[in-house]
């Protein structure tokens, strides 16, 4: 309509309810004065003092007045909203009034209890109530929304953390897709000899879990697969998975190895940390599950263009499938668990340890394989020459706790070095062991016991370095000289036959891509950030995406299992089949008429809740992901983002009301 | 003559500092009535315009209290606040307003003592620097 | 008892001004004051700002001659950071400067001062404006004038974004290089502008110059002021708007001083009067003795007439020819006839058009290297250029962080301040007899200052 | 025949740029002069204040007033126009928000006079003369308007029906306002007659903005040569595009120059400085006070930049001049 001014809003009917909170408030402030003052406030049509508003009697009064006086807004002057806002919102609901039309003035914690002078406390209470009464006018009736969601879950990584989570979810009768990039499950733990602290044999402890997994119909195992793309949000993720061909019928193969013996090609065996060789068609290691062969197209002659069919000819059940192709599939899931594990710090980046130059220097994982009955030496601890080592050095903090590489402690190295001592003494009772450390970290009951047991063993020397870097390895008379500096800064050389390094644990090489794909943050060392380090440790910064095991920080196998099960618990309790997901009512909202599409709001949202509609050229808040913090509203240079229940209007009205105090007035 | 009673607006984040205020209440700390609290979900909701408007409307001081860095309920909201705060601090003197009329601090839900201490410190600081002058050019 | 005649506001010029004429009881003019009732304090609030913002900020002194301020300021930044813009950048600036001189002079001729002489001094007030001009010259001519201004202002937007407030001035060059299509458009506009300039001078010498009323006034003592003159010239003492050294000739036309702008504080001096916000400039080497004419007065003039008087010719052929025609008409230099500002101004329109054409044809104009980054710290810098209304000087000092802590602006019309006041008073004395005042007389008195094309927002800034 | 609408154009503390934006209407201007009766326009027509006073109250259908209010008489003139006009158009950013001249509000009013008339390096003023509101000259009293202690936007002096932002407004916007008036299709009173959305919406470089901008520092425009085809913010330059109302046709951006905010804040923003500060803060790629301060200090003159055009109508209006702030 040309040149007409916008119409004024119609007046509200505000009810102010004063709670005496027993003696708490009633004795500390002058409620009569306050009531009289409240009467004078604009648009206030009823003021009622109640001895105890949160008691049933009190709630009845509130409910009755709402309908009797046709109240359109409610101010409750009582305790902290954190204590009873939900209580009174419920009363509004019962009175068929929108619960968000309530504002509480906290005159107990903020007046009665903290201002002894009754006069002053009363004045303060008036000020807070006036502010509440002026703010509540700007409240909008909010309707909590909810959405459909899929209860299915994607678990990335079939290590011990992922497997524990998958099993817990499956027991909860959930469909689980378990994606694993390698041809077998179990991750690194499965290739350990013994497990700390019980020092039981790893496969005895783990294989029952693995078997259960392989036979659980709820769990769909996708080996040789990786996540290609993730779209959507909590409750409604769409995930694309790329699966590499195995060229062997996984289901049918019984792992008889007939095909392997005839394969003419040899390649380094990554599953033994490259300490020995495997064929182009192979089973990663004895006992690897599923017990089925796999062809590595990078080595297989057929895939280099030669016409070799030896393995197919050898297979008693003709299960070789040269013509199998890579496949892609799309999954709908409600939540995602990242259990992508860790990688060891690449020791070649720290030349002082001579790793790669001196053959008898090993990493911890290499040593695990050396010590493992299914490893390259069938568990025999021997040098590359075949002799068994007489003097063995164990070196802690390789790349940890140093400004040069990782400043953090990798948490488990000291403990597994204790395990290594146990391996060595078990297999080579005559050997001398030198443990180089700076500050041993052996938390918990078992680790300490084992530690002190060994420290009293005269075959084992605990040598303290001044700092993690105060050590270097050299060749000397065909042996390994470990040169280190002690606490008194004296330098010593210790001659050994073999040195085993405990490299720092860092996020798996794939972590950055995964983080980008999932839109989550990373921390020091590339580990996935937690939603909250203390109260939300297994959820990431993106709702519906969880992280367990060493993907989130270095930790023990026991912790990985616990976190896997914890994540599963979070998912089971938040994604219940058939139940719609409730959304944050106090979320942000973009006014399309005002949004310029500058997209700077996204700089402020760690939840990736703001998307951009390039068609319209405006931003859009995804109410599923929005947590209602209001950062974007304060950031938006157009003020096109409206923070529900904490609108500019509401807060500005509080400001004007609070600043015009009695002190100021006179 | 009546002594100068400053008005100080305090923005409290819902998760840490407002809790801190409540626990100060529960432990019956004595707090200066000069401080007028406003609850926001996150200190990151505090629009610099709120700060300037508080001064314009007659506040002599403004307090912003949030979760400690690293323990923000929304992870980085308080860092956004810190960035804005330091930028406003660069601008206030240009607007002829003393830097120390605006203060940002971190209070966790347990720190009732710290909460009380901050309020006291701010109040006597503002009492010593006196009231914030209004605009001289009778601007509305 | 005395009587007052008030002209408030004065019209058809940029800014606020009023004329107070005081008649004694016999009806003779006792005094006439030209007062400027506005002031903005740019010299104050530019302090504390970042130095690199000056071209964008100081040009806001004037929406009629912003480009001049933009360039004086940009040149001051070059000086302050010790960077010489690459050739293409200098050409782009000079091109924009001439485009601007062209359209701004035409604004005066068709909208502001021009109507006085096109429609005639004695025409009724209701005709003394662009509409009257169109009525006199015909819709076609009027539309064409409007059209060409629009096209030439488009050159400024091509180079500087906005036709009004260019945004390209940086220390050591300009923000944007010119593309081939842009240059092509500029070239065709320049040719069109040249045709129009010729036509306009033609119009002037065919219609206005011969017109007896104008001729009388042109040579009338009421519109004559014997002053010195200041303007910028190149190495051969020919007029240049964008760069060169400053030259002063005395009322006899003899060179009084020739100096680099860095020496301006030794040559120019500002004076304050209590009845106007406009400061008054004079030559420092001649002791200030108030609003007086002649050899003992430090009062000087700037702008088209001054540039004509300080120069020994024009750099472009057609403008040179016009220069000689003017010289011949007045039988030598210096020309002290105030209304000659109109003619010399149109001569500059011709020069600006020719120069635009030259620059548009210059192959170096399309070079993409238009900026050099300064490596020295900011300090102190002075920039000068010829604005349509006269010599314009910007002078900045910064702290080591490049925050402006002092600036001094000598703006074109200030140089003419004294002369304008005197011209008004002189015209008033000559034209008002026995208290007789007609609208025509009052308009003639206004014609005395309009000839200068004063810009009072500039003059007070 | 029906009577033509009567309009007036006038300037207060102005640079004349807004007048140019009217002159630049070219043909439309001539058409308007045909369709309407222009009863006051100092820059182009010979009407005096006395002619204005002679008008009936409310006789003018519209007055287009540009420039901020800096001098006493400008305030009086504004009130006179309010009395004589049915509609007031605040024409241009000075009238709408206070404009560049409003930066003077960072200093005490009279400092301006002292700086220009007493301290300027080339001034010779032995008797420390200042322009006076009343002065005796040759036995006659001459009057000048007083210099206000602060700059005001027009709406801070009189009620304003419409605002046309821009320094200067584009001829298109002025044309739209005039035609809206002549054709009786003006929007609701109180409207700002430009785009509702920020400059980014129409900025040709907006699409080049990455998902997240992470500024290690901000550059001053003399410190780097930048890519004309990439969002300036993403190159560490301060551009006020996101916090500035659109409608300028990205003139400065076309000239490869970052926005300085001349169209003022957005529909729902009162304080352009705060809005600018807030989004710039979010671009800082830093989390510790030290790192953040480093980046914050790379902005040399926040108030002068963020409030370039809008200080008088910002929340704070004017410096509070506290000692050692």
């Amino acid at each position: 309509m040309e040149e007409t001014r916008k119409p004024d809003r119609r007046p509200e009917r505000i009810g102010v309810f004063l709670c005496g909170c027993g003696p708490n408030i009633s004795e500390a402030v002058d409620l009569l004065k306050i009531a009289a003052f409240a009467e004078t406030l604009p648009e206030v049509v009823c003021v009622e003092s109640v001895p105890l508003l949160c008691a049933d009697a009190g709630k009845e009064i509130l409910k009755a007045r709402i309908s009797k006086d046709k109240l359109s807004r409610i101010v409750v002057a009582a305790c902290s909203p954190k204590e009873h806002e939900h209580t009174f919102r419920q009363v509004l609901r019962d009175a068929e009034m929108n619960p968000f039309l309530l504002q509480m003035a906290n005159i107990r914690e903020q007046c009665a209890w903290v201002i002894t002078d009754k006069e002053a406390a009363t004045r303060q209470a008036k000020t807070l109530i006036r502010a509440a009464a002026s703010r509540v006018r700007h409240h909008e009736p909010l309707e909590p929304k909810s959405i459909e969601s899929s209860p299915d879950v994607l678990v990335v990584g079939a290590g011990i953390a992922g497997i524990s989570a998958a099993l817990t979810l499956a027991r909860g009768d959930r469909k689980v897709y378990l994606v694993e990039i390698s041809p077998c499950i179990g991750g690194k733990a499965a290739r350990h000899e013994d497990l700390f602290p019980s020092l039981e044999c790893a496969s005895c402890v783990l294989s029952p879990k693995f078997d259960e997994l392989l036979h659980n119909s709820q769990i769909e195992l996708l080996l040789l697969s990786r996540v290609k793309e993730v779209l959507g949000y909590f409750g409604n993720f769409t995930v694309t998975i790329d699966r590499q061909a195995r060229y062997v019928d996984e289901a049918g193969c019984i792992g008889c190895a007939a095909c392997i013996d005839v394969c003419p090609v040899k390649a380094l065996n990554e599953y033994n940390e490259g300490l020995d060789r495997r064929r182009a068609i192979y089973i990663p290691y004895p006992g690897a599950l599923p017990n089925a062969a796999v062809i590595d197209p990078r080595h297989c002659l057929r895939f280099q263009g030669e016409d070799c069919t030896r393995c197919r000819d050898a297979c008693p059940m003709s299960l070789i499938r040269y013509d199998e192709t890579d496949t892609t599939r799309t999954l709908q899931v409600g939540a995602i668990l990242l259990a992508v594990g860790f990688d060891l710090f690449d020791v070649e980046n720290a030349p002082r340890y001579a790793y790669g130059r001196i053959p008898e220097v090993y990493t911890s994982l290499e040593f695990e394989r050396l010590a493992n009955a299914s490893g390259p030496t069938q568990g025999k601890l021997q040098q590359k020459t075949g002799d068994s080592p007489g003097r063995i050095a164990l070196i802690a903090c390789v790349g940890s706790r140093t400004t040069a590489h990782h400043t953090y402690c990798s948490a488990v190295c000291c403990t597994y070095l204790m395990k290594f001592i146990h391996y060595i003494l078990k297999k080579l009772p005559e050997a001398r062991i030198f443990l180089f450390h700076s500050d041993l970290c052996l938390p918990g009951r078992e680790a300490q016991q084992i530690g002190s047991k060994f420290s009293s063993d005269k075959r084992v020397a605990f040598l303290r370095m001044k700092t993690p870097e105060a050590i270097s390895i050299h060749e000397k008379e065909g042996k390994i000289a470990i040169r280190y500096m002690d606490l008194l800064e004296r330098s010593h050389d210790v001659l050994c036959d073999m040195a085993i390094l405990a490299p720092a644990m860092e996020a798996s090489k794939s972590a950055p891509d995964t983080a980008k794909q999932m839109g989550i943050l990373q921390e020091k060392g590339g580990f996935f950030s937690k939603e909250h380090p203390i109260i939300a440790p297994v959820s990431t910064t993106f709702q519906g995406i969880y992280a367990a095991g060493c993907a989130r920080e270095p930790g023990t196998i026991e912790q990985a299992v616990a976190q896997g099960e914890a994540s599963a618990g979070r998912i089971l309790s938040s994604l219940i089949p058939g139940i719609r997901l409730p959304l944050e009512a106090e979320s942000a909202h973009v006014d399309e008429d005002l949004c310029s599409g500058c997209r700077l709001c996204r700089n402020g949202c760690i939840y990736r809740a703001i998307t951009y509609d390039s068609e319209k050229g405006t931003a859009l808040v995804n109410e599923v992901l929005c947590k209602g913090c209001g950062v974007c509203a304060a950031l938006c240079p157009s003020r096109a983002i409206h923070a529900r229940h904490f609108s500019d209007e509401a807060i500005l009205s509080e400001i004007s009301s609070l600043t015009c105090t009695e002190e100021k007035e006179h | 003559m009546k002594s100068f009673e400053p008005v100080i607006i305090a923005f409290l984040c819902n998760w840490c500092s407002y809790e801190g205020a409540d626990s100060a209440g529960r432990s019956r700390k004595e707090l200066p009535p000069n401080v007028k609290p406003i609850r926001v979900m996150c200190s990151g909701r505090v629009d610099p315009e709120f700060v300037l408007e508080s001064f314009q409307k007659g506040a002599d001081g403004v307090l912003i209290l949030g979760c400690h860095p690293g323990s923000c309920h929304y992870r980085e909201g308080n860092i956004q606040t810190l960035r804005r705060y330091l930028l406003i601090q660069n601008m206030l003197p240009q607007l002829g307003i003393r830097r120390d009329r605006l203060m940002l601090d971190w209070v966790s839900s347990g720190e009732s003592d710290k909460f009380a201490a901050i309020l006291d410190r701010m109040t006597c600081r503002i009492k010593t620097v006196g009231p914030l002058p209004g605009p001289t050019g009778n601007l509305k | 008892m005395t009587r007052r005649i008030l002209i408030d506001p004065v019209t058809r010029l940029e800014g606020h001004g009023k004329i107070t004429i005081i008649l004694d009881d016999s009806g003779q003019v006792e005094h006439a004051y030209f007062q400027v009732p506005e002031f903005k304090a740019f010299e104050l609030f530019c302090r504390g700002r970042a130095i690199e913002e000056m071209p964008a900020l100081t040009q806001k002194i004037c929406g009629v001659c912003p480009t001049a301020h933009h360039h004086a300021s940009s040149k001051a930044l070059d000086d302050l950071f010790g960077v010489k813009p690459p050739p293409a950048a200098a050409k782009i600036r000079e091109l924009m400067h001439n485009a601007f001189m062209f359209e701004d002079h035409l604004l005066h001729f068709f909208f502001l001062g021009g109507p006085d002489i096109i429609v005639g001094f004695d025409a009724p007030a209701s005709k003394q404006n662009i509409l009257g001009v169109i009525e006199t010259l015909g819709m076609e001519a009027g539309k064409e004038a409007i059209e060409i201004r629009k096209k030439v202002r488009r050159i400024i937007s091509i180079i500087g974004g906005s036709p009004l407030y260019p945004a390209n001035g940086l220390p050591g060059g300009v923000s944007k290089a010119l593309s081939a299509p842009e240059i092509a458009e500029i070239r065709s506009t320049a040719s069109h502008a040249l045709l129009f300039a010729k036509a306009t001078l033609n119009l002037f010498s065919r219609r206005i110059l011969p017109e007896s009323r104008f001729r009388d006034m042109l040579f009338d003592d009421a519109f004559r002021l014997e002053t010195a003159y200041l303007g910028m010239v190149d190495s051969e003492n020919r007029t240049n708007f964008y760069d060169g050294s400053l030259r002063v000739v005395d009322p006899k036309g003899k060179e009084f001083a020739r100096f680099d702008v860095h020496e301006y504080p030794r040559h120019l001096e500002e004076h304050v009067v209590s009845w106007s916000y406009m400061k008054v400039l004079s030559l420092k080497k001649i002791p200030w003795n108030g609003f007086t004419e002649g050899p003992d007065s430090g009062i000087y003039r700037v702008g088209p007439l001054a540039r004509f008087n300080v120069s020994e010719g024009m750099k472009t052929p057609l403008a040179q020819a016009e220069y000689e025609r003017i010289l011949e008409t007045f039988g030598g230099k210096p020309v002290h006839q105030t209304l000659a500002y109109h003619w010399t101004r149109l001569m500059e329109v011709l020069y600006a058009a020719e120069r635009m054409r030259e620059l548009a044809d210059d192959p170096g104009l399309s070079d993409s290297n238009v900026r050099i980054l300064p490596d020295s710290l900011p300090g102190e810098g002075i920039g000068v250029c010829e604005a349509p209304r006269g010599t314009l000087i910007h002078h900045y000092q910064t702290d080591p962080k490049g925050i402006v802590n002092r600036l001094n602006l000598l703006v074109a019309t200030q140089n003419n301040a004294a002369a304008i006041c005197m011209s008004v008073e002189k015209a008033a004395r000559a034209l008002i007899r026995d208290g007789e005042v007609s609208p025509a007389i009052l308009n003639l008195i206004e014609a005395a200052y309009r000839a200068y094309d004063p810009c009072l927002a500039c003059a007070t800034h | 025949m029906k009577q033509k609408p009567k309009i007036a154009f006038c300037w207060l503390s102005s640079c004349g740029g807004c007048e140019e934006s009217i002159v630049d209407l070219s043909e439309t201007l001539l058409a308007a002069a045909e369709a309407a009766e222009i009863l006051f326009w100092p820059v182009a027509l010979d009407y005096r204040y006395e002619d204005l006073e002679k008008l009936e109250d409310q006789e003018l259908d519209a007055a287009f007033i540009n420039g901020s209010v800096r001098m006493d008489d400008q305030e009086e003139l504004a009130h006179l126009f309010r009395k004589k006009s049915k509609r007031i158009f605040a024409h241009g950013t000075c009238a709408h928000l206070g404009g560049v001249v409003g930066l003077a509000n960072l200093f005490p009013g009279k400092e301006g006079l002292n700086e220009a008339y007493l301290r300027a390096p080339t001034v010779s003023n032995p008797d420390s003369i200042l322009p006076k509101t009343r002065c005796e000259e040759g036995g006659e009293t001459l009057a000048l308007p007083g210099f206000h202690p602060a700059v005001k936007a027009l709406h801070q002096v009189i009620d304003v029906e419409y605002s046309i932002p821009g320094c200067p407004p584009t001829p298109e916007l002025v044309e739209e306002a005039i035609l809206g008036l002549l054709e009786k299709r003006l929007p609701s009173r109180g409207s700002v007659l430009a785009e509702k959305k920020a400059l980014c919406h129409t900025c040709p470089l907006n699409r080049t903005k990455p998902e997240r901008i992470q500024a290690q520092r901000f550059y001053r425009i003399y410190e780097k040569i930048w890519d004309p085809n990439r969002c300036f913010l993403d190159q560490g330059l301060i551009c006020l595009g996101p916090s500035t109302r659109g409608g300028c046709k990205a003139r400065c951006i076309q000239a490869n120059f970052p926005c300085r905010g001349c169209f003022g804040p957005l529909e729902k923003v009162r304080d352009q400085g705060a809005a600018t500060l807030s989004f710039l803060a979010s671009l800082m790629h830093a989390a510790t006070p030290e790192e953040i301060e480093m980046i914050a200090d790379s902005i040399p003159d926040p108030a002068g930049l963020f409030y370039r055009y809008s200080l008088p109508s910002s929340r704070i209006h004017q410096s509070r001049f506290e000692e050692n702030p």
Side-chain angles (χ1 to χ4, degrees), chain C residues 9-313:
Chain C
V10 292
T11 54
R12 286 184 286 125
L13 80 169
E14 202 289 321
H16 298 257
K18 63 177 173 183
I19 293 174
T20 313
I21 304 170
I22 293 148
L23 307 178
D24 62 20
D25 31 25
S26 66
Q28 301 310 317
V29 172
E30 213 165 59
H31 285 294
Y33 297 96
F34 183 93
Q35 294 177 272
V36 183
E38 64 171 322
F39 175 60
K40 298 203 186 83
F42 268 83
E43 268 129 340
L44 180 68
F45 67 73
C46 287
R47 268 170 33 191
R49 312 284 73 82
I51 182 65
E52 64 273 22
E53 298 290 329
M54 286 301 113
L57 197 50
T58 53
Q59 68 179 343
K60 305 285 179 178
I61 287 171
C62 181
V64 178
C65 43
T67 310
H69 286 285
H70 199 67
H71 282 150
S73 187
S74 305
K75 288 176 71 182
L77 290 193
D78 299 341
D79 186 36
L80 184 135
F81 284 97
V83 268
K84 191 169 177 300
K91 292 188 175 105
I92 290 172
R93 284 189 194 168
E94 191 185 351
L95 173 61
M96 179 159 81
H97 200 82
N98 279 281
F100 153 68
M101 293 295 271
F102 179 93
E103 57 93 0
D104 187 75
H105 276 352
L106 288 185
L107 178 73
H108 179 264
F109 187 67
F110 288 99
F111 286 79
L112 307 177
D116 292 336
I117 59 172
I118 298 174
V119 216
F121 301 116
D122 308 337
S126 59
K127 304 273 178 220
Q128 293 283 4
N129 52 51
I130 174 68
L131 304 170
V133 168
I134 291 175
E135 209 176 299
T136 317
L137 303 179
M139 192 42 120
E140 275 326 296
K143 280 219 165 119
E144 214 187 323
I146 288 171
E147 188 50 37
I148 191 65
R149 270 196 85 241
K150 200 172 176 183
K151 282 180 81 176
V152 172
R153 280 166 78 73
R154 162 95 182 125
I155 293 181
I156 301 177
S157 4
I158 289 173
I159 296 173
S162 157
L164 201 93
Y165 284 126
N168 70 334
L170 288 159
V174 294
S175 60
K176 170 174 167 264
L178 290 178
S179 70
E182 288 171 330
I183 292 176
E185 182 180 347
I186 293 171
R187 196 178 291 121
S188 84
T189 302
S191 320
H192 182 177
L194 187 50
L195 292 177
F196 186 86
K198 287 191 217 156
T200 310
L201 269 156
N202 195 344
L203 164 84
F204 179 81
S205 33
R206 268 198 8 270
R207 269 191 86 134
I208 298 168
L209 200 52
E211 199 263 319
S212 64
R213 181 78 165 127
F214 175 71
R215 245 189 138 67
D216 298 347
M217 290 302 129
L218 179 59
F219 293 102
D220 193 309
D221 265 0
F223 294 95
R224 185 172 194 285
L225 212 56
E226 265 193 39
T227 64
Y229 297 91
L230 165 70
M232 192 158 70
V233 292
D234 65 16
S235 49
E236 294 152 58
N237 284 350
R238 295 172 308 186
T239 296
N240 190 308
F241 298 145
Y242 175 71
D243 211 359
S245 28
L246 297 174
R247 185 164 192 243
V248 180
V249 297
D250 67 16
K252 296 267 161 278
K254 212 168 108 289
E255 177 170 296
F256 177 83
R258 196 177 194 289
F259 57 91
D260 177 273
V261 68
H262 288 85
E263 295 159 28
Y264 87 93
R266 301 208 343 260
H267 294 274
L268 307 178
E269 183 169 75
E270 292 180 288
H271 310 279
V272 183
V273 294
S274 55
W275 45 271
S276 177
Y277 283 100
M278 177 161 67
K279 287 188 282 186
V280 175
L281 274 157
S282 76
L283 296 170
K284 193 169 188 171
K285 294 197 166 135
I286 301 176
W288 171 245
N289 63 3
F291 293 66
T292 53
E293 290 189 60
D296 315 336
S297 168
I299 289 172
Y300 63 93
R301 296 196 267 182
V302 297
L305 180 63
R307 288 188 284 255
F308 171 85
N309 282 330
V310 299
S311 69
E312 285 160 9

Side-chain angles (χ1 to χ4, degrees), chain A residues 239-319:
Chain A
V239 188
T240 324
I241 307 286
D242 279 345
R243 182 180 176 281
Q244 218 183 76
R246 188 180 190 108
Y247 306 107
V248 174
D249 180 334
E250 191 179 303
C253 177
I254 54 162
C256 70
C259 52
I260 297 174
D261 308 333
V262 300
C263 178
V265 187
K266 289 199 169 195
L268 280 184
N269 182 357
E270 54 272 57
Y271 297 90
N272 284 338
E273 303 303 310
L275 292 173
D276 66 350
R277 294 174 167 276
R278 60 159 171 84
R279 308 300 173 99
I281 184 168
Y282 65 102
I283 292 172
Y285 53 90
L289 292 172
N291 181 17
V294 53
I295 294 179
D296 186 337
R298 289 170 308 165
H299 306 122
C300 174
L301 296 175
R302 274 197 78 80
F303 294 88
Q304 321 310 323
E306 291 182 37
D307 181 27
C308 168
T309 57
R310 291 197 184 78
C311 55
R312 187 170 63 191
D313 307 342
C315 179
M317 289 116 119
S318 55
L319 297 168

Side-chain angles (χ1 to χ4, degrees), chain A residues 44-291:
Chain A
V44 169
V45 295
C46 107
V47 176
E48 175 103 35
S49 289
V50 183
L52 193 59
L53 199 61
C54 59
D56 291 348
K59 290 191 274 188
E60 273 316 310
I61 296 171
L62 175 53
K63 189 175 163 200
R65 289 300 298 256
I66 289 175
S67 41
K68 178 168 163 295
D69 297 294
K70 305 190 174 44
L71 301 178
S72 64
R73 294 285 190 276
I74 304 299
V75 171
V76 168
C79 54
S80 167
K82 314 215 79 185
E83 189 161 331
H84 275 311
E85 191 171 48
H86 58 278
T87 314
F88 297 120
R89 280 185 173 173
Q90 188 51 48
V91 177
L92 268 65
R93 269 191 213 93
D94 300 343
E96 283 155 3
M97 184 173 176
N98 184 290
F100 292 92
L101 300 179
L102 164 81
Q103 175 66 15
M104 287 188 74
N106 182 354
I107 62 168
R108 190 181 72 185
E109 280 82 349
Q110 290 172 357
C111 304
W113 282 351
V114 293
I115 305 172
T116 30
D117 170 23
K118 194 166 179 177
E119 272 297 305
T122 305
R123 261 205 312 279
Q124 185 80 333
K126 289 181 186 173
T127 312
L128 297 190
I129 289 167
R130 179 180 49 203
S134 107
R135 181 198 211 277
V136 77
R137 287 198 220 108
H138 300 280
H139 287 201
E140 324 150 274
L142 302 180
E143 297 302 339
K145 300 202 191 103
S146 66
I147 51 151
E148 297 276 347
S149 65
S150 154
D152 301 352
V153 184
L154 169 72
V155 177
V156 185
I160 189 63
I163 288 170
S164 312
L167 288 171
T168 314
L169 289 160
R171 292 190 199 106
D173 195 33
R174 292 309 175 83
K175 172 78 183 168
V176 181
Y177 300 94
L178 179 55
V179 169
E180 167 59 44
I181 191 164
S182 71
C184 60
I185 63 171
K188 297 192 177 63
R191 288 182 280 137
H192 287 8
E193 173 65 0
D194 296 349
L195 295 184
F196 200 85
S198 58
L199 302 177
E200 295 170 75
C201 121
S203 55
C204 322
V205 178
L206 300 177
S207 42
K209 256 180 170 332
F210 296 169
D211 292 325
E212 183 185 351
L213 182 99
L214 293 172
H215 298 101
N216 189 312
S217 58
Q218 291 287 10
I219 300 171
E220 183 171 349
L221 180 61
L222 304 168
L223 294 168
L224 293 161
S225 303
R226 61 173 75 233
V227 175
K228 184 182 179 200
E229 187 187 38
V230 177
L231 298 171
Y233 43 81
F234 181 46
N236 297 278
F237 289 106
T238 306
V239 188
T240 324
I241 307 286
D242 279 345
R243 182 180 176 281
Q244 218 183 76
R246 188 180 190 108
Y247 306 107
V248 174
D249 180 334
E250 191 179 303
C253 177
I254 54 162
C256 70
C259 52
I260 297 174
D261 308 333
V262 300
C263 178
V265 187
K266 289 199 169 195
L268 280 184
N269 182 357
E270 54 272 57
Y271 297 90
N272 284 338
E273 303 303 310
L275 292 173
D276 66 350
R277 294 174 167 276
R278 60 159 171 84
R279 308 300 173 99
I281 184 168
Y282 65 102
I283 292 172
Y285 53 90
L289 292 172
N291 181 17

Side-chain angles (χ1 to χ4, degrees), chain A residues 363-381:
Chain A
T363 69
S364 49
L365 280 180
E366 289 168 350
F367 188 69
E368 279 286 0
R369 294 313 292 156
L370 221 48
N372 192 298
S374 70
T377 59
Q378 293 73 42
K380 195 159 172 299
L381 292 185

